[in-house]
């Protein structure tokens, strides 16, 4: 199963390299595009849940790394939830 990383920039200009066990994230994010924080988290949640389920279908167990990545995204996003104009930029998909 092809792994994909997606590099993001949070509203405070900090960057993070995120992991997905599947290339499904490319269906949810476009490099160079920015998303409102709540939309970004929603897209990440859906993409990483699909990716984890693909691992389950292939190997018989969910991908804990995908769920850990989602949890990390959700924790980081909490810092910006109260800022209505905060956006997360997807820098690259690799």
């Amino acid at each position: 199963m092809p792994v994909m990383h997606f590099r993001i920039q949070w509203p405070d200009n900090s960057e993070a390299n995120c992991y997905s066990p599947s290339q499904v994230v490319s269906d949810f994010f476009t490099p160079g595009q920015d998303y409102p924080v709540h939309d970004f988290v929603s897209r990440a949640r859906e993409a990483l849940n699909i990716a984890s389920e693909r691992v389950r279908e292939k190997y018989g167990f969910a991908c804990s790394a995908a769920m850990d990545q989602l949890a990390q995204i959700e924790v980081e996003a909490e810092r910006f939830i109260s800022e209505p104009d905060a956006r997360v930029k997807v820098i690259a998909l690799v």
Side-chain angles (χ1 to χ4, degrees):
M1 183 166 293
V3 167
M4 179 168 272
H5 290 89
F6 52 111
R7 186 124 188 104
I8 61 170
Q9 183 179 49
W10 291 104
D12 65 357
N13 292 323
S14 64
E15 295 183 5
N17 191 38
C18 302
Y19 167 84
S20 171
S22 166
Q23 293 181 342
V24 71
V25 293
S26 64
D27 295 340
F28 291 85
F29 299 118
T30 302
Q33 181 77 30
D34 60 6
Y35 303 87
V37 172
H38 68 278
D39 184 35
F40 173 78
V41 172
S42 177
R43 288 168 180 262
R45 185 176 296 121
E46 188 171 356
L48 291 169
N49 277 311
I50 290 170
S52 181
E53 283 306 307
R54 287 183 179 179
V55 170
R56 182 190 309 278
E57 289 168 8
K58 185 167 185 173
Y59 298 106
F61 52 86
C63 180
S64 61
M67 296 299 90
D68 290 347
Q69 180 63 73
L70 176 57
Q72 186 177 20
I73 287 170
E74 291 172 335
V75 166
E76 287 296 314
E78 280 297 317
R79 299 185 301 139
F80 308 105
I81 288 298
S82 64
E83 300 174 31
D85 297 331
R87 299 179 76 81
V88 178
K89 182 176 184 176
V90 175
I91 298 168
L93 302 173
V94 291

